[in-house]
Amino acid sequence: MKQPIRASLFALLAIFLGGTLPAQHVYHTAGFGLEINSQGQVTGMTDLKNKINYVPSGNPGYLVRIKSNGKDLAPSTVKVQKNLLYFTFDGGIELQVQAIQNKDYLKFELKKAVKTEKIEAVFWGPFNTTIDETIGEVVGVVRNKDFAIGMRALNSKTIGGKLLNEEGVTAGSASITGSAAGKEDFGSAMQAFCLNQSLDRVIQVWHLHKNCPVRGLKNYKIEGTALAMFGTVPDNVLTAIGTISQAEGLPYQVIDGEWVRKSKITGKPYLIASFSEENFDEMLEFTQRLGFYSIYHSHPFDTWGHFDLLKNLFPNGREGMRKCVEKANAKNIRVGVHTLTNFITTNDPFVTTEANSGLMAAGISQLLEDLDESSTEITVDNYDYFAQVSTLNSVLIGNEIVRYQEVTKEKPYRLINCARGAYNTKAAPHKKGDQAKKLMDFPYNTLFPDWEMQDQLIRNLADFFNETGVSQMDFDGHEGACYTGRGEYAVNYFAEEFLKKVDHLVVNGSSNINHFYWNNNSYINWGEPWYASFRESQSEHRFKLQPFFERNYMPNMLGWFLMTPGTFVEDIEWMMARAAGYNAGYAFVADYKSLKQNPNTDIIINSIRTWEEAKKLEIFSDEQRVRLKDTGRDFHLEKAGSNHWMLQNFEKFKFEHAKKILQPGEPAHSKWEFNNAWDPQLLHLQLLVTGDDASRVVDIEIEVDNYFKVKIPAEVKKGQTLVWDSSKQIKLYNDKGQFIKAIDIERSLPELKSGKHLITINAGSMDGAETVIKGTIKLKSEVEEIRK
């Protein structure tokens, strides 16, 4: 819905030409106007060229509001003096906001606040619009075909999104939602907030820890929270954001001379592998053969916190890693490493030494009795802290870490069956009244730092990068920063401070994405390969993400795909077809053993290179890319000459054979007819055993065209797949697509002639009432010639 511009806005523009209009205020760029009335409401956001006001009638938003005493408050009065707006609120609270007009954007900054001790949060917005076509929920941009309106937080404490909880988290772990912009009944809204982190608070932290004490930050001020607003044509949005970022000193990563948000490099594939000093030369050669820009170590560290390398992989420590990086740099290849952002392993000095006083506590209790160094029961003055869900059940008393089995439910509360001096700390006597801190932990058997320790952890991580030259990482477990109790401010702060301390560019991803971190982020590559077969693991999640990336101006990435010694070339081409369809990158997970042992490694590498070249040259039409996105289709791509390719399509026929309850003598098999409309070719067949209560199927029989019959002498369990390429062997794969064994059969199936064919499936036994054998026949169909 488009709302015609009100006459008042044109009159307001006259203010800047020397006219006056009391109680109305307008700020404008070359093509965008934002109007604020005397109640502080945003009543106009206008495309000045086309004279269209996008604020919904009857639903104005606000420039600024506050939260005080648990309530959201709108301003009671607004006064304007030159470029300063003075907002007053109940309780004597005042905000002084500076408004600056630029050619490309408007800037609003909180310069002064009165009675800050009463301000729990400052809200920017909501900025309500009638636009509902495309909503960039993370980037904070809404657009239709004619116009885009955007909001940019100008520092890490200004959080793009809705304040949904006390800690300031706007979305969950690995979420594809954000609320910097969101759909509303009238169209859309953009909003941001700044929590007053200077206040001592007792809050719920990360959905788990109730009544957690979070101390105020001494030097923190809500003054300085700032926002930019802009309006432009949709094709100019990234340029506008880049202009704001450079002018306001926001993170602005440049890679090979180009802003990361316009660069195609960060949307490229990369190799993930557990390399060592010993095999790095070979792994680097594989990376080069694949044509990838980076090799990323999946697990190089023995400790998280001080980031000591695994000695069996890097006997020369950081010097060994540095030499690996130098070799890679000589070939213009990056080296990356994986860690979990602020997770601390229990063998790290942050845990095993007196530095452990900085571990984050879910709650602080007191000892009710003296404690000697051998006591296995500890009396405390609180039940709730120690009854919370926990993996390590760890308590810090002085510098000793104690693990306990459980806490008694009635007073006096006792921690029972305690293991003293855990994690190489020293068991010691403690006095009545000493603090007993229940430590926050995670199911990975890790702990978390408080704010001050996290600063040291950031320095340790940056030191590793500076000493080795490693230049890629993921802030995996990025949401772990929220365990400090500071929500997305902590997420933003961790990434920003780390990247500032590293003396070179670090290409980075994350397990999370929010509005401000978007500035520092290079890519998001969600989708893990561990949970099912090559094609099935988090498949729906991977492809649901692609429009999310596109509406938030991020490179398309398909996630991680795992190559094993038994991975099919056909599966690799399935992945590559999706990558070509979405113009997407991915992480190719392949360790040294898989690359050396897979008999098709050379074919796989050549196939990846062929597809990547085709993708880079953009050889596929829009119609072809639509088909390449279809996960139900298979393709094979061959290069036929310079700028000449052949795209082989495949046709699939699907069928099911279910367990049957039959009359005596009634056949138990199932039959299906299919048509080979193409040239004579070999049959390619897959059989998957599935069903809610399925257990196993024994002695599957396959018959083709009423003459060729084979019995498979094997047990096939739920989730396992049989694959037959018409040869004398049928291969068995587990539920994650990993090769189990080859099963010999009597003979191979001849080519199928053009025309109709019949396949029959039966089984000796099928355990489970709902057991089903799902079959897929794949045949070559048309070949498309592509020239560039």
Side-chain angles (χ1 to χ4, degrees):
M1 170 182 176
K2 297 178 181 178
Q3 181 180 333
I5 187 169
R6 292 183 292 260
S8 64
L9 185 56
F10 289 117
L12 289 169
L13 290 175
I15 292 174
F16 301 97
L17 301 176
T20 60
L21 188 64
Q24 298 286 330
H25 319 286
V26 66
Y27 302 93
H28 70 95
T29 68
F32 174 65
L34 188 145
E35 181 180 352
I36 304 169
N37 69 13
S38 58
Q39 286 77 49
Q41 295 174 321
V42 176
T43 54
M45 287 192 289
T46 302
D47 172 359
L48 297 178
K49 178 181 178 181
N50 294 304
K51 301 179 177 60
I52 298 171
N53 180 9
Y54 285 98
V55 172
S57 178
N59 282 291
Y62 285 88
L63 178 66
V64 67
R65 298 172 298 131
I66 64 167
K67 183 175 183 179
S68 180
N69 198 27
K71 296 180 180 179
D72 296 354
L73 301 178
S76 53
T77 64
V78 183
K79 296 180 180 179
V80 178
Q81 186 177 3
K82 295 185 178 180
N83 67 337
L84 294 176
L85 294 94
Y86 296 86
F87 298 85
T88 60
F89 300 83
D90 293 346
I93 298 170
E94 297 179 9
L95 300 181
Q96 178 181 310
V97 176
Q98 183 183 52
I100 299 176
Q101 299 175 111
N102 296 287
K103 174 178 175 290
D104 300 297
Y105 66 98
L106 306 173
K107 177 181 178 180
F108 300 97
E109 181 178 358
L110 177 60
K111 303 299 287 187
K112 183 179 180 181
V114 176
K115 294 190 180 296
T116 56
E117 72 280 1
K118 291 186 177 182
I119 302 174
E120 297 165 31
V122 173
F123 298 107
W124 295 102
F127 301 93
N128 295 337
T129 87
T130 57
I131 297 173
D132 63 0
E133 283 87 339
T134 303
I135 298 171
E137 60 267 59
V138 169
V139 73
V141 175
V142 299
R143 60 194 189 273
N144 58 26
K145 64 182 179 64
D146 300 315
F147 202 65
I149 299 175
M151 173 198 79
R152 300 303 301 153
L154 297 182
N155 45 52
S156 60
K157 63 185 174 185
T158 306
I159 310 302
K162 294 180 179 180
L163 181 58
L164 303 176
N165 44 57
E166 296 173 301
E167 59 184 332
V169 176
T170 64
S173 171
S175 172
I176 61 170
T177 62
S179 56
K183 190 172 181 62
E184 302 289 349
D185 290 343
F186 47 74
S188 60
M190 294 162 283
Q191 52 268 313
F193 63 86
C194 175
L195 277 176
N196 190 350
Q197 301 281 356
S198 69
L199 302 177
D200 289 338
R201 298 180 297 157
V202 178
I203 61 175
Q204 180 169 308
V205 171
W206 197 242
H207 321 301
L208 298 172
H209 304 289
K210 297 179 180 179
N211 301 318
C212 181
V214 178
R215 291 178 299 164
L217 299 177
K218 293 180 181 179
N219 298 320
Y220 184 92
K221 296 181 182 295
I222 58 173
E223 287 90 348
T225 178
L227 202 72
M229 296 295 297
F230 68 92
T232 187
V233 294
D235 289 345
N236 190 52
V237 167
L238 268 187
T239 298
I241 293 175
T243 298
I244 293 168
S245 297
Q246 289 183 293
E248 296 297 331
L250 291 175
Y252 189 85
Q253 284 194 345
V254 175
I255 184 167
D256 290 351
E258 191 172 26
W259 182 33
V260 70
R261 282 296 171 220
K262 290 190 174 181
S263 170
K264 294 183 179 180
I265 292 176
T266 54
K268 287 185 175 181
Y270 55 96
L271 177 64
I272 294 182
S274 180
F275 59 82
S276 66
E277 289 182 56
E278 182 180 2
N279 67 23
F280 185 71
D281 289 343
E282 286 187 87
M283 294 305 297
L284 189 58
E285 182 183 355
F286 280 122
T287 309
Q288 196 170 24
R289 288 177 60 194
L290 285 161
F292 290 174
Y293 80 103
S294 174
I295 177 171
Y296 181 101
H297 202 298
S298 57
H299 182 58
F301 295 115
D302 180 44
T303 68
W304 294 338
H306 284 73
F307 305 101
D308 299 320
L309 290 163
L310 288 163
K311 291 181 180 179
N312 63 316
L313 298 180
F314 298 93
N316 295 301
R318 294 186 179 185
E319 178 63 17
M321 176 66 83
R322 186 184 66 79
K323 289 183 177 179
C324 291
V325 172
E326 287 180 348
K327 292 177 182 179
N329 288 346
K331 297 179 181 294
N332 199 29
I333 292 173
R334 293 181 177 276
V335 174
V337 295
H338 180 264
T339 182
L340 287 179
T341 303
N342 69 337
F343 292 47
I344 299 173
T345 53
T346 56
N347 63 336
D348 190 87
F350 278 144
V351 177
T352 61
T353 71
E354 291 184 359
N356 61 21
S357 60
L359 291 171
M360 186 65 187
I364 300 175
S365 180
Q366 289 185 333
L367 300 182
L368 294 183
E369 296 176 353
D370 289 347
L371 184 66
D372 64 33
E373 62 268 26
S374 61
S375 300
T376 59
E377 290 195 358
I378 300 174
T379 307
V380 292
D381 67 355
N382 183 282
Y383 169 79
D384 292 335
Y385 290 144
F386 301 100
Q388 290 181 11
V389 175
S390 177
T391 299
L392 300 180
N393 279 352
S394 295
V395 184
L396 181 66
I397 309 173
N399 292 115
E400 178 190 357
I401 296 179
V402 179
R403 298 187 68 186
Y404 63 96
Q405 182 182 24
E406 60 181 330
V407 58
T408 58
K409 295 181 179 180
E410 296 180 357
K411 291 185 176 181
Y413 304 122
R414 292 182 177 273
L415 309 181
I416 62 174
N417 293 331
C418 295
R420 303 294 301 277
Y423 310 127
N424 289 322
T425 61
K426 186 178 180 180
H430 305 284
K431 295 292 186 182
K432 177 181 178 180
D434 284 353
Q435 287 187 342
K437 299 179 180 179
K438 173 62 195 297
L439 298 179
M440 287 189 180
D441 61 36
F442 192 78
Y444 291 175
N445 291 327
T446 51
L447 300 166
F448 291 100
D450 66 10
W451 192 254
E452 289 74 19
M453 179 186 278
Q454 181 169 277
D455 261 341
Q456 181 59 56
L457 186 151
I458 292 170
R459 286 192 290 272
N460 292 346
L461 187 59
D463 287 346
F464 171 85
F465 275 72
N466 289 333
E467 291 173 26
T468 62
V470 168
S471 59
Q472 183 184 2
M473 72 169 289
D474 285 342
F475 293 101
D476 198 2
H478 205 166
E479 63 277 4
C482 296
Y483 281 75
T484 60
R486 307 197 185 280
E488 289 184 25
Y489 172 59
V491 171
N492 295 340
Y493 179 90
F494 192 105
E496 186 173 37
E497 289 300 307
F498 165 75
L499 293 170
K500 283 180 181 177
K501 287 177 170 58
V502 179
D503 58 14
H504 55 273
L505 173 69
V506 177
V507 173
N508 67 93
S510 174
S511 62
N512 215 319
I513 184 71
N514 68 27
H515 177 75
F516 185 81
Y517 169 62
W518 183 94
N519 299 290
N520 274 312
N521 171 260
S522 310
Y523 61 86
I524 289 291
N525 195 28
W526 290 329
E528 297 183 1
W530 325 117
Y531 309 113
S533 65
F534 190 96
R535 303 190 186 204
E536 296 299 325
S537 185
Q538 295 193 332
S539 177
E540 181 180 354
H541 179 66
R542 295 175 192 271
F543 302 113
K544 183 179 179 182
L545 285 168
Q546 303 316 305
F548 166 78
F549 293 142
E550 290 162 7
R551 62 181 179 262
N552 285 288
Y553 304 96
M554 300 167 67
N556 291 80
M557 297 293 286
L558 293 178
W560 296 21
F561 291 92
L562 176 65
M563 175 184 169
T564 70
T567 297
F568 295 136
V569 176
E570 291 86 351
D571 283 338
I572 298 297
E573 291 216 85
W574 177 88
M575 173 188 75
M576 296 307 304
R578 266 75 267 176
Y582 286 104
N583 192 26
Y586 48 87
F588 188 55
V589 185
D591 60 23
Y592 181 79
K593 178 181 175 182
S594 296
L595 288 166
K596 297 293 283 188
Q597 293 185 359
N598 191 306
N600 297 310
T601 291
D602 290 341
I603 299 173
I604 286 171
I605 290 174
N606 289 335
S607 179
I608 289 174
R609 289 187 68 95
T610 298
W611 279 97
E612 284 297 325
E613 180 187 8
K615 186 174 71 173
K616 180 180 180 180
L617 294 175
E618 299 180 347
I619 72 167
F620 301 109
S621 68
D622 290 343
E623 186 276 332
Q624 286 170 328
R625 286 187 61 194
V626 169
R627 285 189 281 120
L628 290 170
K629 291 178 183 179
D630 185 346
T631 58
R633 294 176 180 264
D634 280 22
F635 301 88
H636 169 66
L637 183 68
E638 287 188 8
K639 191 167 184 182
S642 179
N643 297 322
H644 185 196
W645 290 265
M646 306 299 288
L647 181 65
Q648 172 72 66
N649 289 257
F650 292 88
E651 188 172 12
K652 290 184 177 181
F653 303 91
K654 295 183 178 294
F655 57 87
E656 293 186 3
H657 172 67
K659 184 176 181 179
K660 300 176 182 179
I661 299 175
L662 305 171
Q663 298 291 334
E666 183 180 351
H669 60 248
S670 299
K671 288 187 176 185
W672 299 269
E673 191 176 81
F674 64 96
N675 185 47
N676 176 21
W678 314 99
D679 294 334
Q681 59 182 292
L682 295 174
L683 174 75
H684 188 281
L685 173 67
Q686 291 190 13
L687 298 176
L688 167 68
V689 174
T690 186
D692 289 342
D693 67 344
S695 174
R696 62 171 194 157
V697 175
V698 178
D699 294 336
I700 294 175
E701 292 180 344
I702 304 169
E703 184 173 278
V704 180
D705 292 340
N706 292 323
Y707 85 99
F708 186 96
K709 187 174 184 179
V710 294
K711 184 176 183 179
I712 305 170
E715 173 186 272
V716 185
K717 296 179 181 178
K718 180 181 179 179
Q720 293 182 343
T721 302
L722 291 167
V723 178
W724 186 33
D725 60 2
S726 295
S727 70
K728 292 182 179 181
Q729 281 191 335
I730 292 180
K731 294 178 180 179
L732 178 65
Y733 292 82
N734 68 15
D735 59 349
K736 293 181 173 57
Q738 297 168 333
F739 176 73
I740 299 175
K741 64 178 179 179
I743 303 163
D744 292 327
I745 56 176
E746 298 173 356
R747 52 186 175 150
S748 57
L749 176 68
E751 285 186 332
L752 299 178
K753 295 179 180 180
S754 300
K756 292 183 178 180
H757 295 273
L758 189 69
I759 189 165
T760 305
I761 301 293
N762 202 354
S765 65
M766 300 175 69
D767 294 348
E770 298 180 11
T771 302
V772 176
I773 300 173
K774 290 189 175 183
T776 302
I777 293 170
K778 185 172 75 173
L779 299 175
K780 293 179 181 179
S781 57
E782 71 269 24
V783 177
E784 299 173 72
E785 185 176 16
I786 304 172
R787 293 185 181 272
K788 182 66 175 178

